[in-house]
Structures are given as structure tokens and as C-alpha cells.
Amino acid sequence: MTDPRLLLADAAARAAAHLAGLDDRAVFPPPEAVAALAELDVALPTVGRDPHDVLAELDRLGGPATVASPGGRYFGFVTGGAHPVGVGAAWLASAWDQNAAMAAMSPVAAALDRVAGRWITELLGLPVGATPTFTAGTSSANATAMAVARDRLLTEAGHDVVADGLFGAPPLRVVVGDAHSSVTKALGLLGLGRDRVVRVPTDRQGRIVADELPAPGEPTLIVTQAGNVNTGSSDPFDRIADHFAGSPHWIHVDGAFGLWAAAAPERQVLVAGVQRAHSWATDLHKWLNVTYDSAVAIVRDAQDLTRTFTVGAAYLANEATLDPVHRGLDMSQRARAVETWAVLAHLGRDGVADLVERSCRHAGRLADELGSAGFTIHNEVVLNQVLVSLEEDGATDALLVAIPGDGTLWAGGSIWHGRRVIRLSVSGWATTDDDITRSIAALRRLAGR
């Protein structure tokens, strides 16, 4: 029988070596490494293999084909590389193998869920008593919170959607601005319709124009943004809340990364009024830099969560505490709070603020120096997002193609107000001033070709 201590030590050594080599390798894997993955595509073996041999092959073929997103020069998709203390806590949590659905299944998972959830709401300046629930990502967190919003608004309108479904339900208006695709997906999933929405005009930074909001009065779900996925700008939460005050409404905040501006004193003004919403969703595997997959949905009133998600089964204890199984879709679930607690305990309030602020400073430097070098900057760089292009769209596309092959950095493309742009997203703890210097030099060199 394999000694698990030796096997886990083998895995840890290989993982440590992989991380140690990130700075010296191409950010995107070379074609030969990707091609070598074909060696993994074999028939399922009849006789099992030695576990050390399995790890060795996985390391040999898989490691070189990874994207170096935990390193300091990966600027794609607002992907933050996992912090070492988060990785360590995730390994420990995997070894513990806890089901976090109920306290009866794991007292430690329940305790860390409670503490980490409270820390997050405090860091983000959200109302006392707001109830968090851990999810796989902001896509599922948005769907979770918007399901709660749907059920609350329709209940107020006299329809029990939990018991009777949407059959015969009264109309529910949904208002969006420059909504992320995950919001659109959630609306379809929840039966509210991807296209049956009121789209409010947005300004040049993707922010809702409050003067164009529809008149209050009818039940309305308003989906707002903290951190536009392209520009990083946020909607005017105070003006939106004032507009709908006194009428039946629910304000949800899609804050996958931008909500963390609230944790940095110098950036809090960017999300002023966000605490007036009824629900919020944010990723933990982005700016907090825990491992995938981890996010949180937060709802102002716990009773709204229980209306939608309480499980009625004889074998589930009716406890005074609101177990995770009653706060979201999943029954069995990974103990995501373990690594979130570890990263927050390590960084503290000041460390989280510095992580956010440092990323924003890096983004500002990218914009300033690339702008001075002749690139066009398309957004107000108020947070961690930079939209940059060359003079012609064709040249921008050519630069996007050249970036992976060069290997110094990686960034993705987008379209902003009809122009092809490169989106630089700075959200990793490992990014240094030297990484920014090297990335600027590489972009200037490639553009010069």
C-alpha cells in the first residue's frame, strides 16, 4: 500500500518546483508543450499504475502546458494568481476532505464559514447582519442572489414562486446597464429572460446613466456593476437607490472584482453607496487570490435566502444556525471558507487594502507609460483595468497574436465602443514593479515590429 505521506510530499515538491519556475518561463505555453498533451489521451488502463508514476507523468506533460497565471505578468480575464497561504490551506482542506453542507458534517468548516463570511462583509463595508454564502464563482453567486431577489419581489406581489413556480406570476421588470454575460446567463436560467430586460444607456466608461432609469412604481430587479469588466468603473449606486426608494425593488451588485475597491480606503469612493443594495456577488479567486473555484453571494436579509433555498428533508437537522445547505443550491460542497479564512488571516485588513491599491498603481503605470509611448488608452484607469490599442484595429489584432508567442506576458482582447482593444487586468498578488517594467518593454518592442 502506498504511504500517503510520501505521495503527498512528492506532490508538494513537484508543485513547489513548478511555482518556483514561473518567472523564467513563457507566460503562455509553447506549441510543443500543448501538442505533448496528446500523450495523455490513451485508453483507460485495465491495471492501475503506481501513484508516484502517475504524478510524475502528470507533472512532466501537464506542467509545461499550464498558463503561468499564478505569476506576475498574467493580465488576462481579471485572473488573480493563488496566494501561497491560500494554496497551502487548500491542500490542507483537501486532505481534511470535509463536506461543508452542515455543521453536523464538519464543525471546522462551519466555524470557518461563519468567521470568513463575517470578515468579508466587514471588509466590504456591507450592512451588519448581511448573510454570505460561498459559491463556485460570481456566475453562480449572481444566479443565487438574483433567485432570491426574484422570489422576494414576487412574494411581495402576492405570488409564491417557490411553491407555484413562475406559472401565473405577475410581471417582474429587470433593469440592466452594461451587464456581464454571467448576468444574462442567470436571467435565462431563472426564467426572467435574457432579452426581456430594460437596458439603460451607459456612459463612455460603462456606467449606468441614472437620468435614463425607468420610472419607479412596478416591481423591479436592478442589476448593477461594481467594476465594469472592461473599464473597472462602477455604477452610481446612491443615485440608483434614491431613484427607486419607496417603490418595490431589489438592487443587486455584480461585483466580481470591483467590489473589493471598498476594502481599500483610497478607492472606496469608487463604490460609494454600494451598501444600499440588497445583494452582492464577488469572486474570491480574483482579487483575494484564493484558489479556484471560490466566490461569495451576500444577501441583506437571511430570511430571503431561506425562502429560496431551505431544504426540507427528514435527515437534515433543524438547527438554529443557518447551515450552508440552506443558503444556496449545493447540498454537498467543498469547504471553500478554509482558504479564504487563511488568506484573510494572513493579510489582515491592511494587507487586503495594499493588495488592491498596489494592483491599481500598477494599472495606472501601465496606462501612463504605454500612453506616453504612443498607445491609445480607452478608459479612465480608476481601478485595475487598462484598455489599450494601437492606431489601427488590424495592428492591435496583430499585437494580440504576437503576445503569446513572445511569452513575456499574456493579455486578452476585447471590443470597446467599436474599437479592438487589449485588456490588461492587474489583480495578482505576485505582480511587481519589475513585472510591469518588463511587460511595458515587451509591448513596445512587439508594437514596433
Side-chain angles (χ1 to χ4, degrees), residues 230-282:
N230 281 299
T231 69
S233 293
S234 296
D235 288 326
F237 302 111
D238 273 324
R239 292 196 63 190
I240 294 169
D242 288 343
H243 180 83
F244 287 101
S247 68
H249 74 284
W250 182 290
I251 299 173
H252 172 65
V253 179
D254 172 16
F257 64 96
L259 192 56
W260 289 93
E266 295 181 38
R267 306 285 166 170
Q268 288 174 352
V269 65
L270 300 174
V271 290
V274 74
Q275 70 279 358
R276 296 177 65 183
H278 302 84
S279 60
W280 307 261
T282 189

Side-chain angles (χ1 to χ4, degrees), residues 40 53-64:
L40 297 170
D53 290 344
V54 170
L55 290 182
E57 182 169 357
L58 188 61
D59 187 25
R60 178 177 66 84
L61 295 173

Side-chain angles (χ1 to χ4, degrees), residues 361-395:
R361 288 198 305 269
H362 288 324
R365 185 181 162 208
L366 282 168
D368 290 343
E369 297 193 23
L370 289 174
S372 297
F375 290 75
T376 300
I377 308 302
H378 293 264
N379 64 313
E380 298 171 6
V381 183
V382 295
L383 208 60
N384 64 321
Q385 301 291 93
V386 184
L387 299 180
V388 61
S389 75
L390 297 177
E391 187 173 349
E392 301 293 337
D393 283 355

Side-chain angles (χ1 to χ4, degrees), residues 27-343:
V27 176
F28 197 83
E32 58 270 22
V34 176
L37 292 173
E39 295 183 43
L40 297 170
D41 189 5
V42 297
L44 177 67
T46 301
V47 179
R49 298 167 54 189
D50 179 85
H52 289 278
D53 290 344
V54 170
L55 290 182
E57 182 169 357
L58 188 61
D59 187 25
R60 178 177 66 84
L61 295 173
T66 59
V67 176
S69 50
R73 296 185 306 282
Y74 184 83
F75 305 122
F77 300 105
V78 203
T79 295
H83 196 286
V85 73
V87 174
W91 290 350
L92 189 57
S94 294
W96 287 351
D97 191 27
Q98 300 293 282
N99 186 339
M102 297 183 290
M105 289 179 161
S106 177
V108 64
L112 293 175
D113 178 285
R114 185 168 58 251
V115 175
R118 187 183 77 244
W119 285 355
I120 290 169
T121 57
E122 291 174 356
L123 270 174
L124 299 178
L126 301 182
V128 175
T131 302
T133 184
F134 289 89
T135 70
T138 297
S139 293
S140 55
N142 279 333
T144 296
M146 291 162 64
V148 173
R150 176 199 64 187
D151 296 354
R152 167 66 181 268
L153 288 170
L154 289 178
T155 296
E156 290 178 344
H159 181 81
D160 187 349
V161 67
V162 175
D164 301 326
L166 292 173
F167 299 98
L172 175 58
R173 181 172 62 181
V174 179
V175 174
V176 302
D178 186 16
H180 188 267
S181 56
S182 66
V183 169
T184 304
K185 182 192 293 187
L187 289 172
L189 175 69
L190 298 174
L192 298 177
R194 295 190 177 199
D195 299 327
R196 190 183 164 277
V197 297
V198 177
R199 297 191 182 276
V200 181
T202 56
D203 65 14
R204 294 289 299 179
Q205 302 305 310
R207 298 172 294 219
I208 283 176
V209 178
D211 290 340
E212 299 290 337
L213 288 166
E218 60 183 279
T220 304
L221 165 61
I222 310 101
V223 183
T224 62
Q225 277 191 326
N228 180 281
V229 74
N230 281 299
T231 69
S233 293
S234 296
D235 288 326
F237 302 111
D238 273 324
R239 292 196 63 190
I240 294 169
D242 288 343
H243 180 83
F244 287 101
S247 68
H249 74 284
W250 182 290
I251 299 173
H252 172 65
V253 179
D254 172 16
F257 64 96
L259 192 56
W260 289 93
E266 295 181 38
R267 306 285 166 170
Q268 288 174 352
V269 65
L270 300 174
V271 290
V274 74
Q275 70 279 358
R276 296 177 65 183
H278 302 84
S279 60
W280 307 261
T282 189
D283 275 322
L284 305 174
H285 53 231
K286 282 189 170 65
W287 238 341
L288 193 59
N289 289 185
V290 303
T291 66
Y292 283 95
D293 52 14
S294 191
V296 66
I298 305 170
V299 175
R300 180 183 290 270
D301 190 338
Q303 291 184 346
D304 291 323
L305 269 173
T306 59
R307 176 189 297 109
T308 300
F309 292 112
T310 292
V311 177
Y315 60 87
L316 299 181
N318 183 18
E319 301 177 4
T321 58
L322 188 59
D323 280 326
V325 71
H326 300 301
R327 285 188 262 134
L329 180 63
D330 291 330
M331 300 283 280
S332 298
Q333 52 191 275
R334 185 171 70 88
R336 296 184 176 95
V338 176
E339 61 207 78
T340 300
W341 179 90
V343 172

